[in-house]
């Protein structure tokens, strides 16, 4: 059973049973709750470790920073490639991609005294485009809509807590619009 604290006013959008069994290739969201007016959310996902993440973890020193880098490798790669990925209904062109990604501060780890399970924590910033990413003069990235118009991107800040179960990562992901993150940090730190 998974449990975490959240404000009583938040809405539970997804609540699925998870028994620790086989995880779909693209992972599974077990719980997602939030204040969807301000887009402050907390979710729990179970994701199989990719070949890249497995290799990075196997070659690493096992530090919390190495775990953070391994689990965010695909986001960093999409930024480097100016790649739009995924098909998302209800947005321009049905595309989404990360224009900027930055690990923030120091990653940390702790061991649960009762279970001996290790938990890793880290924070990151993303700048996401919900359309086509193009590189302008000087290397600046722009979010371009289907009519060639420049769209606003979405800057978010996330706090992650992760543990490993077999070949899967169980990830608690707390996220808010970057400009609001400090305002809701006490919720994200629960």
């Amino acid at each position: 059973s998974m449990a975490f604290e959240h404000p009583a006013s938040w809405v539970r959008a997804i609540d699925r049973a998870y028994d620790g069994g086989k995880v779909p290739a693209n992972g599974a969201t077990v719980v997602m709750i939030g204040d969807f007016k301000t887009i402050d959310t907390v979710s729990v996902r179970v994701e199989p470790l990719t070949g890249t993440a497995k290799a990075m973890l196997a070659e690493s020193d096992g530090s919390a920073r190495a775990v953070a880098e391994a689990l965010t490798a695909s986001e960093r790669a999409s930024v480097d490639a100016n790649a739009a990925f995924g098909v998302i209904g209800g947005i321009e062109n049905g595309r989404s991609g990360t224009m900027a990604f930055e690990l923030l501060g120091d990653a940390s780890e702790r061991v649960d005294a009762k279970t001996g399970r290790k938990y890793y924590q880290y924070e990151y910033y993303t700048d996401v485009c919900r359309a086509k990413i193009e590189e302008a003069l000087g290397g600046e990235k722009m979010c371009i809509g289907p009519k060639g118009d420049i769209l606003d991107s979405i800057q978010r800040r996330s706090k992650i807590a992760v543990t490993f179960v077999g070949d899967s990562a169980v990830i608690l992901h707390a996220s808010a619009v970057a400009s609001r993150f400090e305002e809701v940090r006490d919720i994200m730190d629960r």
Side-chain angles (χ1 to χ4, degrees), residues 12-60:
R12 186 176 302 265
I14 298 172
D15 190 358
R16 299 182 180 121
Y18 174 68
D19 61 4
K22 185 169 167 110
V23 179
N26 62 344
T29 300
V30 180
V31 174
M32 179 177 214
I33 62 167
D35 180 339
F36 295 101
K37 292 178 183 173
T38 57
I39 319 172
D40 305 330
T41 61
V42 176
S43 65
V44 175
R45 279 192 53 82
V46 181
E47 298 182 3
L49 294 175
T50 65
T52 302
K54 276 186 186 178
M56 289 178 74
L57 288 168
E59 295 171 9
S60 78

Side-chain angles (χ1 to χ4, degrees), residues 31-140:
V31 174
M32 179 177 214
I33 62 167
D35 180 339
F36 295 101
K37 292 178 183 173
T38 57
I39 319 172
D40 305 330
T41 61
V42 176
S43 65
V44 175
R45 279 192 53 82
V46 181
E47 298 182 3
L49 294 175
T50 65
T52 302
K54 276 186 186 178
M56 289 178 74
L57 288 168
E59 295 171 9
S60 78
D61 60 4
S63 69
R65 182 69 179 200
V67 168
E69 288 176 357
L71 295 180
T72 59
S74 62
E75 287 89 346
R76 289 192 320 277
S78 71
V79 170
D80 294 342
N82 279 347
F85 57 89
V87 176
I88 300 174
I91 61 169
E92 303 276 348
N93 285 340
R95 299 171 74 167
S96 179
T98 304
M99 295 178 18
F101 178 92
E102 179 183 357
L103 283 171
L104 302 171
D106 294 328
S108 63
E109 71 178 71
R110 71 172 180 81
V111 176
D112 184 285
K114 291 181 183 176
T115 65
R117 179 175 298 281
K118 275 189 183 180
Y119 292 89
Y120 302 89
Q121 291 186 340
Y122 55 93
E123 292 184 25
Y124 63 82
Y125 164 88
T126 55
D127 189 358
V128 175
C129 172
R130 299 285 191 203
K132 183 179 179 184
I133 300 170
E134 290 186 6
E135 197 165 315
L137 294 174
E140 180 182 351

